[in-house]
């Protein structure tokens, strides 16, 4: 599967626009082929976006967080920031590990400094009495799995090119 169908739909949209321009140059009423080509390209582009959603949107990952997280649990990101995650999950990102990006000003603000971290924070997991949901890029799984205490990752699922580790203290 992957992104191939989305790429093909995107190419078909561009071909529809090109064909519309060629037909418009020869038509007595050029607006009609341009309108038809534009509508066809628009529909194909929307289809491409829909097919690519698992690879471009944090919606599925955020839905998993929204369904499982309880008040007091925390949501972390590792190595990146998922802009759709707070929106779709309906909760803020509590900590960004190894990511600053556009938040470099926020990191310098003492009120937000504790929201940024590195592998040392990951090694403190699990947090007593809390479940921590860590969203990350799937290719970082081997490194990420080595950081929290052994046995504390209770699930680790894939959502397109991203993954979600659920970390909690092992039952005693």
């Amino acid at each position: 599967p992957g992104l191939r169908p989305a790429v093909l739909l995107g190419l078909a949209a561009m071909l529809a626009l090109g064909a519309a321009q060629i037909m418009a140059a020869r038509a007595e009423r050029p607006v009609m082929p341009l309108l038809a080509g534009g509508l066809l390209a628009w529909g194909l582009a929307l289809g491409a976006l829909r097919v690519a959603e698992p690879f471009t949107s944090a919606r599925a990952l955020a839905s998993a967080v929204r369904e499982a997280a309880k008040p007091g649990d925390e949501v972390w990101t590792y190595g990146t920031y998922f802009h759709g995650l707070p929106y779709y999950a309906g909760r803020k990102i509590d900590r960004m590990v190894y990511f600053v990006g556009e938040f470099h000003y926020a990191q310098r603000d003492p009120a937000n400094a504790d929201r940024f971290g590195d592998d040392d924070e990951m090694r403190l997991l699990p947090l007593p009495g809390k479940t921590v949901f860590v969203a990350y890029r799937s290719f970082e799984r081997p490194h990420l799995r080595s950081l929290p205490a052994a046995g504390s990752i209770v699930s680790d699922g894939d959502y397109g090119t991203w993954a979600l580790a659920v970390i909690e203290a092992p039952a005693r």
Side-chain angles (χ1 to χ4, degrees):
L3 287 173
R4 182 175 291 167
V7 170
L8 292 174
L9 285 168
L11 288 173
M14 288 189 279
L15 286 173
L17 289 174
Q21 288 180 340
I22 291 169
M23 291 171 66
R26 299 178 182 157
E28 190 174 303
R29 298 176 65 190
V31 73
M32 297 310 286
L34 290 174
L35 179 62
L39 288 173
L40 178 60
W42 180 61
L44 290 166
L46 288 178
L49 290 172
R50 181 63 138 172
V51 169
E53 182 181 6
F55 302 95
T56 60
S57 174
R59 186 187 342 208
L61 185 143
S63 293
V65 171
R66 185 181 63 247
E67 291 169 12
K70 298 179 289 303
D73 290 344
E74 293 192 8
V75 179
W76 293 19
T77 61
Y78 186 91
T80 190
Y81 184 79
F82 299 86
H83 290 276
L85 182 55
Y87 175 77
Y88 290 119
R91 53 191 312 141
K92 70 177 184 151
I93 303 297
D94 297 292
R95 184 173 301 269
M96 291 171 271
V97 179
Y98 279 126
F99 181 79
V100 176
E102 64 271 25
F103 300 109
H104 63 279
Y105 290 112
Q107 185 181 29
R108 288 187 276 187
D109 181 351
N112 292 312
D114 66 339
R115 294 187 64 202
F116 296 87
D118 56 23
D119 283 350
D120 290 338
E121 275 76 25
M122 292 295 295
R123 288 183 185 99
L124 296 175
L125 295 176
L127 299 178
K130 292 184 180 189
T131 299
V132 178
F133 297 84
V134 182
Y136 65 97
R137 296 171 292 199
S138 296
F139 70 84
E140 294 177 303
R141 179 172 281 126
H143 178 68
L144 187 125
R145 289 186 71 73
S146 73
L147 297 172
S152 65
I153 298 178
V154 295
S155 70
D156 193 8
D158 287 313
Y159 298 86
T161 57
W162 302 299
L164 180 68
V166 180
I167 302 171
E168 57 188 36
R172 295 181 182 237

